[in-house]
Amino acid sequence: MTSEELLATGELTVRGRIRDASNAALYCTVAYDGQEATCVYKPVAGERPLWDFPDGTLAQREVAAYEVSEVTGWGLVPPTVLRDGPYGEGMCQLWVEARPDAELLALVDAEEPAPGWKAIGFAEVGDGKTALLVHADDERLRRLAVLDAVINNADRKGGHLLPTGDGRLYGIDHGVTFNVENKLRTLLWGWAGEPLTAEAVEVLQRLQRELKADGPLAERLGALITDAELDATRARVDVLLATGTHPEPNGEWPAIPWPPV
């Protein structure tokens, strides 16, 4: 049984609540025929209304982000399904245990990033002082930056980056994605304006094919987001391929989420 099948069909048992989440997020186990896993269950009923997203759609957007991630082949989003649970329909995502000692973000007392790091911008650190916020020049983060540009992620915070002990990196919390308007807000601006890698171009070409009207990804996304949002996703992929570069902040929307971590 795959992780997706277990998440979708197993018996879901709530074990606790993740208290620092902005919407209801429940720590659960899911079990079926002797197989068990831990997961996060976010019921639609526990979503707080947002002014710029339709009510009751965040769970579907989380699943849509997983669908896009799977087509990239990068596996950047943990297995995620939409299912019924103790508090109604919601998103159910495999729990990922992060490595707490992995260094992906840092504040440094410098004007320029050191080798192996990319600058995000300057941040106030108190007493009128500023420090340079940087992220690692890491191919896993670069892939995630491309995924975020495709799904129009409006909330890529440091706490949403989960490096694991086996060297993988996952991104979580994709409820505010796929908006028609450009809302990209992220900490991963280090490659802004730089050419996309050959690997990223190949992945975007694959997404472009699968997002066509008769494409398999378009069919799956059509059940999760609106037609206008699907068209906007196609347009973002087209623009990335046409420019061949990582996007840059447009100045019309805050470029960095708050709080950043």
Side-chain angles (χ1 to χ4, degrees), residues 51-259:
W51 67 269
D52 53 347
F53 285 84
D55 293 350
T57 66
L58 305 190
Q60 291 92 326
R61 295 171 194 278
E62 296 240 31
V63 178
Y66 171 68
E67 293 288 356
V68 174
S69 170
E70 285 300 282
V71 172
T72 68
W74 289 331
L76 295 169
V77 179
T80 311
V81 302
L82 195 66
R83 61 161 293 169
D84 195 29
Y87 299 101
E89 186 180 59
M91 179 280 284
C92 191
Q93 184 176 82
L94 193 68
W95 181 267
V96 172
E97 203 64 53
R99 231 184 92 193
D101 59 338
E103 293 189 6
L104 297 177
L105 298 166
L107 278 169
V108 296
D109 184 14
E111 295 295 318
E112 298 289 339
W117 294 86
K118 288 284 190 177
I120 303 168
F122 288 94
E124 293 185 9
V125 293
D127 297 328
K129 297 180 180 180
T130 61
L132 183 63
L133 181 61
V134 297
H135 66 68
D137 188 1
D138 185 311
E139 69 172 7
R140 300 169 302 171
L141 290 180
R142 190 166 190 169
R143 290 169 176 170
L144 194 58
V146 174
L147 176 66
D148 284 343
V150 171
I151 66 176
N152 198 15
N153 192 351
D155 195 32
R156 176 60 72 204
K157 297 177 180 177
H160 300 168
L161 304 173
L162 302 182
T164 62
D166 61 0
R168 297 194 62 172
L169 174 74
Y170 292 97
I172 60 168
D173 285 350
H174 298 108
V176 286
T177 50
F178 296 99
N179 202 296
V180 171
E181 298 179 9
N182 183 1
K183 292 184 178 290
L184 184 59
R185 189 168 59 170
T186 175
L187 286 177
L188 304 181
W189 287 116
W191 299 280
E194 293 187 14
L196 295 165
T197 64
E199 177 193 50
V201 170
E202 182 180 344
V203 164
L204 289 166
Q205 289 170 338
R206 186 185 314 137
L207 286 172
Q208 191 177 54
R209 291 192 298 270
E210 293 219 14
L211 283 168
K212 290 181 178 179
D214 58 349
L217 179 59
E219 183 176 349
R220 295 195 296 276
L221 293 184
L224 299 165
I225 60 177
T226 68
D227 290 344
E229 289 166 343
L230 182 53
D231 286 341
T233 304
R234 294 186 181 106
R236 288 191 294 272
V237 172
D238 292 345
V239 168
L240 286 166
L241 285 170
T243 62
T245 60
H246 287 268
E248 298 180 84
N250 63 11
E252 299 175 1
W253 177 257
I256 296 176
W258 187 261

Side-chain angles (χ1 to χ4, degrees), residues 1 5-6 9-11 30-37:
M1 175 177 283
E5 290 170 336
L6 178 60
T9 62
E11 181 180 359
V30 61
Y32 183 84
D33 196 23
Q35 190 173 348
E36 183 174 294

